[in-house]
Coordinates of all heavy atoms in Angstrom, one line a residue:
M20 N 101.8 112.1 107.0 CA 100.6 112.9 106.7 C 99.9 113.3 108.0 O 99.5 112.4 108.8 CB 99.7 112.0 105.8 CG 98.3 112.6 105.6 SD 98.4 114.2 104.8 CE 99.0 113.7 103.2
K21 N 99.8 114.6 108.1 CA 99.1 115.1 109.3 C 97.7 115.6 109.0 O 97.5 116.1 107.9 CB 99.9 116.1 110.0 CG 101.2 115.6 110.5 CD 101.3 115.9 112.0 CE 102.6 115.3 112.6 NZ 102.7 115.6 114.0
A22 N 96.8 115.4 109.9 CA 95.5 116.0 109.7 C 94.9 116.4 111.1 O 95.4 115.9 112.1 CB 94.6 114.9 109.1
Y23 N 93.9 117.2 111.0 CA 93.3 117.8 112.2 C 92.3 116.8 112.8 O 91.3 116.5 112.1 CB 92.7 119.1 111.9 CG 92.1 119.8 113.2 CD1 93.0 120.4 114.1 CD2 90.8 119.8 113.4 CE1 92.5 121.0 115.2 CE2 90.2 120.4 114.5 CZ 91.1 121.0 115.4 OH 90.6 121.7 116.5
C24 N 92.5 116.4 114.0 CA 91.5 115.5 114.7 C 90.5 116.3 115.4 O 90.8 117.1 116.3 CB 92.3 114.6 115.6 SG 91.2 113.5 116.6
V25 N 89.2 116.2 115.0 CA 88.2 117.0 115.6 C 87.9 116.5 117.0 O 87.3 117.3 117.8 CB 86.9 117.0 114.7 CG1 87.2 117.7 113.4 CG2 86.4 115.6 114.5
K26 N 88.2 115.3 117.3 CA 87.9 114.8 118.6 C 88.8 115.3 119.7 O 88.5 115.7 120.8 CB 87.9 113.2 118.5 CG 87.4 112.6 119.8 CD 87.3 111.1 119.6 CE 86.8 110.4 120.8 NZ 86.6 109.0 120.7
E27 N 90.1 115.3 119.3 CA 91.1 115.8 120.2 C 91.5 117.2 120.0 O 92.2 117.8 120.9 CB 92.4 114.9 120.0 CG 92.1 113.4 120.3 CD 93.3 112.6 119.9 OE1 93.5 112.3 118.7 OE2 94.1 112.2 120.8
R28 N 91.0 117.8 118.9 CA 91.3 119.2 118.6 C 92.8 119.4 118.5 O 93.3 120.4 119.0 CB 90.7 120.1 119.6 CG 89.2 120.0 119.6 CD 88.6 120.9 120.7 NE 87.1 120.8 120.7 CZ 86.3 121.4 121.6 NH1 86.8 122.2 122.4 NH2 85.0 121.2 121.5
K29 N 93.5 118.5 117.9 CA 94.9 118.6 117.7 C 95.3 118.0 116.3 O 94.5 117.2 115.8 CB 95.7 117.9 118.8 CG 95.6 118.6 120.1 CD 96.5 117.8 121.1 CE 96.5 118.6 122.5 NZ 97.3 117.9 123.5
S30 N 96.4 118.4 115.8 CA 96.9 117.8 114.6 C 97.5 116.5 114.9 O 98.4 116.3 115.8 CB 98.0 118.7 114.0 OG 98.4 118.2 112.8
R31 N 97.0 115.4 114.2 CA 97.5 114.1 114.5 C 98.0 113.4 113.2 O 97.5 113.8 112.1 CB 96.4 113.2 115.1 CG 96.0 113.7 116.5 CD 97.1 113.5 117.5 NE 96.6 113.6 118.8 CZ 97.3 113.7 119.9 NH1 98.6 113.7 119.8 NH2 96.8 113.8 121.1
E32 N 98.8 112.4 113.3 CA 99.2 111.6 112.2 C 98.0 110.8 111.7 O 97.3 110.2 112.4 CB 100.3 110.7 112.6 CG 101.1 110.1 111.5 CD 102.0 111.1 110.7 OE1 102.3 112.1 111.3 OE2 102.3 110.9 109.6
M33 N 97.9 110.7 110.3 CA 96.8 110.0 109.7 C 97.3 108.6 109.3 O 98.3 108.5 108.7 CB 96.3 110.7 108.5 CG 95.1 110.1 107.9 SD 94.6 110.8 106.3 CE 93.8 112.3 106.8
V34 N 96.6 107.6 109.7 CA 96.9 106.2 109.4 C 96.2 105.8 108.1 O 95.1 106.0 107.9 CB 96.5 105.3 110.6 CG1 96.8 103.8 110.3 CG2 97.2 105.7 111.9
S35 N 97.0 105.1 107.3 CA 96.5 104.5 106.0 C 95.6 105.4 105.3 O 94.4 105.1 105.1 CB 95.9 103.2 106.2 OG 94.8 103.2 107.1
P36 N 96.1 106.6 104.9 CA 95.2 107.6 104.1 C 94.8 107.0 102.8 O 95.7 106.4 102.1 CB 96.1 108.8 104.0 CG 97.5 108.3 104.1 CD 97.4 107.2 105.1
K37 N 93.6 107.3 102.4 CA 93.1 106.9 101.1 C 92.5 108.1 100.4 O 91.8 108.9 101.0 CB 92.1 105.8 101.1 CG 92.7 104.5 101.6 CD 91.6 103.4 101.7 CE 92.2 102.1 102.2 NZ 91.1 101.0 102.3
E38 N 92.7 108.2 99.1 CA 92.2 109.3 98.4 C 90.7 109.1 98.0 O 90.3 108.0 97.6 CB 93.0 109.6 97.1 CG 92.5 110.9 96.4 CD 93.4 111.2 95.2 OE1 93.4 110.5 94.2 OE2 94.2 112.2 95.4
V39 N 89.9 110.1 98.3 CA 88.5 110.0 98.0 C 88.1 111.2 97.1 O 88.8 112.3 97.2 CB 87.6 109.9 99.2 CG1 87.8 108.6 100.0 CG2 87.8 111.1 100.1
K40 N 87.1 111.1 96.3 CA 86.7 112.2 95.5 C 85.2 112.6 95.9 O 84.4 111.7 96.2 CB 86.7 111.8 94.0 CG 88.1 111.5 93.6 CD 88.1 111.1 92.1 CE 89.5 110.7 91.6 NZ 89.5 110.3 90.2
F41 N 85.0 113.8 95.8 CA 83.6 114.3 96.0 C 83.4 115.6 95.3 O 84.3 116.4 95.1 CB 83.3 114.4 97.5 CG 84.2 115.4 98.2 CD1 83.8 116.7 98.4 CD2 85.5 115.0 98.6 CE1 84.6 117.6 99.1 CE2 86.3 115.9 99.3 CZ 85.9 117.2 99.5
G42 N 82.2 115.8 94.9 CA 81.8 117.1 94.2 C 82.6 117.3 92.9 O 82.9 116.3 92.2
K43 N 82.8 118.5 92.6 CA 83.4 118.8 91.3 C 84.9 118.7 91.2 O 85.7 119.7 91.3 CB 83.0 120.3 90.9 CG 81.5 120.4 90.8 CD 81.1 121.9 90.5 CE 79.6 122.0 90.4 NZ 79.2 123.4 90.1
G44 N 85.4 117.5 91.1 CA 86.8 117.2 91.0 C 87.6 117.5 92.3 O 88.8 117.6 92.2
R45 N 86.9 117.6 93.4 CA 87.6 117.8 94.6 C 88.1 116.5 95.2 O 87.4 115.5 95.1 CB 86.7 118.5 95.7 CG 86.5 120.0 95.4 CD 85.6 120.6 96.4 NE 85.8 122.1 96.3 CZ 86.4 122.8 97.2 NH1 87.0 122.2 98.3 NH2 86.5 124.1 97.1
H46 N 89.2 116.6 95.8 CA 89.8 115.4 96.3 C 90.1 115.6 97.8 O 90.3 116.7 98.3 CB 91.2 115.1 95.7 CG 91.0 114.7 94.2 ND1 92.0 113.8 93.6 CD2 90.1 114.9 93.3 CE1 91.6 113.6 92.4 NE2 90.5 114.3 92.1
A47 N 90.1 114.5 98.5 CA 90.4 114.5 99.9 C 91.1 113.2 100.3 O 91.0 112.2 99.6 CB 89.2 114.7 100.8
L48 N 91.8 113.3 101.4 CA 92.4 112.1 101.9 C 91.6 111.7 103.2 O 91.3 112.5 104.0 CB 93.9 112.3 102.3 CG 94.8 112.4 101.1 CD1 96.2 112.8 101.6 CD2 94.9 111.0 100.4
K49 N 91.3 110.4 103.3 CA 90.5 109.9 104.4 C 91.4 108.8 105.1 O 91.9 107.9 104.5 CB 89.2 109.3 103.9 CG 88.3 108.7 105.0 CD 87.1 108.1 104.3 CE 86.2 107.5 105.4 NZ 85.0 106.9 104.8
G50 N 91.5 109.0 106.4 CA 92.3 108.0 107.1 C 91.8 108.0 108.6 O 90.7 108.5 108.9
K51 N 92.6 107.4 109.4 CA 92.3 107.3 110.8 C 93.3 108.0 111.7 O 94.5 107.9 111.4 CB 92.1 105.9 111.3 CG 90.8 105.3 110.7 CD 90.5 104.0 111.5 CE 89.1 103.4 111.1 NZ 88.8 102.2 111.8
C52 N 92.9 108.5 112.8 CA 93.8 109.2 113.7 C 94.6 108.1 114.4 O 94.1 107.1 114.9 CB 92.9 109.9 114.8 SG 93.9 110.6 116.1
A53 N 95.9 108.3 114.4 CA 96.8 107.3 115.0 C 96.7 107.3 116.5 O 97.1 106.3 117.1 CB 98.3 107.7 114.6
S54 N 96.1 108.3 117.0 CA 96.0 108.4 118.5 C 94.7 107.8 119.0 O 94.7 107.1 120.0 CB 96.1 109.9 118.9 OG 95.9 110.0 120.3
C55 N 93.5 108.2 118.4 CA 92.3 107.8 118.9 C 91.4 107.0 118.0 O 90.3 106.5 118.3 CB 91.5 109.0 119.5 SG 90.9 110.1 118.2
G56 N 91.8 106.9 116.7 CA 91.0 106.1 115.8 C 89.9 106.8 115.1 O 89.2 106.2 114.3
T57 N 89.7 108.1 115.4 CA 88.6 108.8 114.7 C 89.0 109.0 113.2 O 90.1 109.2 112.9 CB 88.5 110.2 115.4 OG1 88.1 110.1 116.7 CG2 87.5 111.1 114.7
T58 N 87.9 109.0 112.4 CA 88.1 109.2 111.0 C 88.5 110.6 110.7 O 87.9 111.6 111.2 CB 86.9 108.9 110.2 OG1 86.5 107.5 110.4 CG2 87.0 109.1 108.7
L59 N 89.6 110.8 110.0 CA 90.1 112.1 109.6 C 90.0 112.4 108.1 O 90.1 111.5 107.3 CB 91.6 112.2 110.0 CG 92.0 111.9 111.4 CD1 93.5 112.1 111.6 CD2 91.3 112.8 112.4
F60 N 89.7 113.6 107.8 CA 89.7 114.1 106.4 C 90.7 115.2 106.2 O 90.9 116.0 107.1 CB 88.3 114.6 106.0 CG 87.3 113.5 105.8 CD1 86.5 113.1 106.8 CD2 87.3 112.9 104.5 CE1 85.5 112.1 106.6 CE2 86.3 111.9 104.3 CZ 85.5 111.5 105.3
R61 N 91.3 115.2 105.1 CA 92.2 116.3 104.7 C 91.9 116.6 103.3 O 92.1 115.8 102.4 CB 93.6 115.9 105.0 CG 94.6 117.1 104.7 CD 96.0 116.6 104.7 NE 96.9 117.7 104.4 CZ 97.7 118.3 105.3 NH1 97.6 118.0 106.6 NH2 98.5 119.3 104.9
I62 N 91.6 117.9 103.0 CA 91.3 118.3 101.7 C 92.6 118.5 100.9 O 93.6 119.0 101.4 CB 90.6 119.6 101.6 CG1 89.3 119.5 102.5 CG2 90.3 120.1 100.2 CD1 88.3 118.5 102.0
T63 N 92.7 117.9 99.7 CA 93.9 118.0 98.9 C 93.6 118.6 97.6 O 92.4 118.7 97.2 CB 94.6 116.6 98.7 OG1 93.6 115.8 98.0 CG2 94.9 116.0 100.0
G64 N 94.6 119.0 96.8 CA 94.4 119.6 95.5 C 93.6 120.9 95.6 O 93.6 121.6 96.6
K65 N 92.9 121.2 94.4 CA 92.2 122.5 94.3 C 90.7 122.2 93.9 O 90.5 121.3 93.1 CB 92.9 123.4 93.4 CG 94.2 123.8 93.9 CD 94.9 124.7 92.9 CE 96.3 125.0 93.4 NZ 97.1 125.8 92.4
Ligands
ZN123 ZN1 92.4 111.7 117.4

């Protein structure tokens, strides 16, 4: 699972992603950057 790291401004591997929900049925994956430990989000679904 890759996600964009805003700290490094690069696409990084996400560690231990967990699904989170917010708003009207929107889903996202939340995890940590394998490189620097910054929290990463990736929007999933529709
Ligand atoms: Zn990072």
Side-chain angles (χ1 to χ4, degrees):
M20 172 60 67
K21 294 238 177 179
Y23 183 77
C24 177
V25 295
K26 188 172 181 181
E27 299 171 282
R28 298 180 183 177
K29 289 185 178 180
S30 182
R31 294 295 194 190
E32 195 70 23
M33 185 189 283
V34 178
S35 61
K37 292 181 180 177
E38 187 172 71
V39 294
K40 296 179 182 177
F41 59 97
K43 298 178 181 178
R45 282 179 165 256
H46 291 208
L48 287 172
K49 180 181 178 183
K51 285 193 172 184
C52 175
S54 176
C55 70
T57 297
T58 299
L59 303 181
F60 282 96
R61 184 192 178 101
I62 306 297
T63 60
K65 295 178 180 177

